[in-house]
Amino acid sequence: MSTMARGAVLRAFNEPLTLEAAPVPEPEPGALVASVDLGGVCGTDVHLFHGNLPIPTPVILGHEAVGRVEKLGPGVTADFNGEPLREGDAIAWASNIPCGRCYWCVVEKERTLCENRKVYGINQRFDEGPRLSGGWAEFIYLQPGSAVFKLPAGISPEQAIALGCAGPTAVHGVLEIVGIGVGETVVVQGSGPVGLAAAMYAQLAGAARTIIVGGPASRLDLARSIGVGDVHIDIFATPDPEERRRQVLAATPRGRGADVVLECAGVPSAVPEGFELVRRNGRYLVLGQYTDRGATPINPHVITRKQLKVYGSWAFAEAHYARYVDTLPQLAARFDLGRLVTRYPLEEANRALADMASGSVMKAVLAP
Ligand SMILES: [Zn+2]
Ligand SMILES: [Zn+2]
């Protein structure tokens, strides 16, 4: 194992990331060191870079990554599922470690709401502890308590990283919180990684028709070309929300609206627009509002009159990541996941971040 490893470090918000080296630690009992094959760049990273969320600096960014076991710490013999783990195995890991002791973890049993979560690439400092605690680095130190998974046979690192954190996020929101029934009509607002992951899981779960309302056209074309979504409505080609509503309703059974609408746009005004796309007694999930982009006027009468079920879903925990890994073979068999990915060397982390910010690529991935 090399003794030093480089990572892309955020020292100050809105300042270019710098490549810096730190020693690769010997793993303590329960921990392991992984070499990183690919580290995903997420929309959240763009917000972190701009200082939109309160995180400590300096920090190696990268909460999405896949890699290989470099060195197992004492006592580590198996992955989260009990599969034997050996050096060289291809692995992925959940980005967060809930504390397992707080009210939210124990009483509510909602580990996504844990207030003491450690999150790789977000709240683990570069200037203390094991230092190599982000995915945009040659090596990462996976602390005791990390949920580590061997990749299923036949799944490449590129396929495993293609959806990034949007994959397990969609498992939580779409499969667990709102649930999709066989034959349902689903509208997905948004065509970024969260939107595409949500649409893929709706399709896997048996939706009869999945309607994606998003843009720009290049993203919808990519979705269409790999079989994600059945109907694609471009918000730039159809800027009038009233016209969009007519098109969506026309694509639903008897024009009555979708059974389920999944908000994955991250734009506050998508929510009142989405309420108009759900049928009476339907379900609406707010999945995309990960940063606070302000308020939006909502007419609560619509919720009462339609008897809407409105849900929220925050990120994911180990259980959702486990289900994500288990469903990767199904996703990969049905959708060409690799087409979503654009690779960059670690040295070009700033360009990858800029390209994600501008939306010019669907999924930027660093290859350290
Ligand atoms: Zn993310
Ligand atoms: Zn907790």
Side-chain angles (χ1 to χ4, degrees):
M1 178 161 41
S2 35
T3 52
M4 297 290 282
R6 297 176 309 155
V9 178
L10 176 68
R11 287 214 162 259
F13 300 125
N14 298 305
E15 302 273 337
L17 307 182
T18 50
L19 271 193
E20 299 184 36
V24 181
E26 276 296 310
E28 68 196 291
L32 65 86
V33 172
S35 60
V36 177
D37 284 335
L38 297 171
V41 183
C42 166
T44 299
D45 294 311
V46 177
H47 295 298
L48 296 174
F49 174 78
H50 290 304
N52 295 340
L53 295 166
I55 61 164
T57 55
V59 62
I60 295 180
L61 292 180
H63 56 278
E64 308 170 344
V66 293
R68 268 161 218 289
V69 176
E70 182 72 17
K71 186 145 198 210
L72 295 167
V76 183
T77 57
D79 77 353
F80 188 84
N81 291 317
E83 301 268 346
L85 209 50
R86 294 187 186 86
E87 280 160 21
D89 282 345
I91 53 170
W93 50 91
S95 54
N96 55 76
I97 309 175
C99 77
R101 289 187 303 276
C102 72
Y103 175 83
W104 307 104
C105 283
V106 176
V107 180
E108 289 288 325
K109 300 182 183 66
E110 290 289 345
R111 291 165 74 89
T112 54
L113 300 181
C114 175
E115 287 174 346
N116 310 313
R117 295 204 304 177
K118 297 175 180 175
V119 190
Y120 295 122
I122 294 185
N123 68 10
Q124 300 299 291
R125 303 182 64 98
F126 178 63
D127 57 358
E128 60 185 47
R131 300 189 66 191
L132 295 169
S133 294
W136 298 359
E138 292 164 330
F139 290 89
I140 184 168
Y141 186 84
L142 298 175
Q143 303 174 28
S146 297
V148 175
F149 300 85
K150 269 171 83 162
L151 290 187
I155 294 298
S156 68
E158 197 162 71
Q159 288 171 318
I161 201 70
L163 294 179
C165 66
T169 294
V171 167
H172 181 208
V174 178
L175 297 187
E176 184 175 299
I177 301 262
V178 78
I180 303 290
V182 171
E184 289 198 305
T185 299
V186 178
V187 168
V188 178
Q189 297 178 280
S191 52
V194 177
L196 295 200
M200 288 181 198
Y201 275 106
Q203 289 174 268
L204 277 194
R209 178 173 270 184
T210 302
I211 303 162
I212 300 179
V213 183
S218 58
R219 288 192 159 190
L220 294 177
D221 289 343
L222 178 56
R224 200 183 284 115
S225 72
I226 64 168
V228 181
D230 303 297
V231 176
H232 304 80
I233 296 172
D234 182 347
I235 59 171
F236 297 101
T238 313
D240 174 18
E242 190 51 37
E243 175 54 26
R244 292 201 286 265
R245 187 175 78 94
R246 272 195 290 277
Q247 291 183 13
V248 169
L249 295 187
T252 66
R254 288 168 280 284
R256 66 188 167 211
D259 300 298
V260 182
V261 175
L262 307 169
E263 183 282 312
C264 304
V267 177
S269 62
V271 176
E273 180 173 340
F275 285 176
E276 300 296 334
L277 309 178
V278 201
R279 68 165 163 81
R280 298 167 76 206
N281 208 33
R283 287 110 69 207
Y284 189 84
L285 172 67
V286 183
L287 188 59
Q289 309 284 327
Y290 281 93
T291 43
D292 185 345
R293 295 180 64 186
T296 190
I298 283 172
N299 183 347
H301 170 67
V302 179
I303 301 174
T304 306
R305 174 171 54 80
K306 283 189 161 183
Q307 210 168 284
L308 291 188
K309 280 73 181 164
V310 179
Y311 300 90
S313 174
W314 178 251
F316 63 91
E318 306 100 314
H320 313 110
Y321 204 88
R323 202 166 170 197
Y324 166 68
V325 173
D326 280 347
T327 51
L328 267 172
Q330 287 167 271
L331 288 172
R334 184 154 174 180
F335 308 107
D336 186 354
L337 297 173
R339 295 253 328 261
L340 303 176
V341 168
T342 305
R343 282 174 179 251
Y344 300 76
L346 185 61
E347 293 75 14
E348 293 186 22
N350 289 297
R351 189 165 66 87
L353 205 47
D355 288 352
M356 282 304 283
S358 70
S360 65
V361 296
M362 177 65 77
K363 186 73 196 174
V365 161
L366 299 173

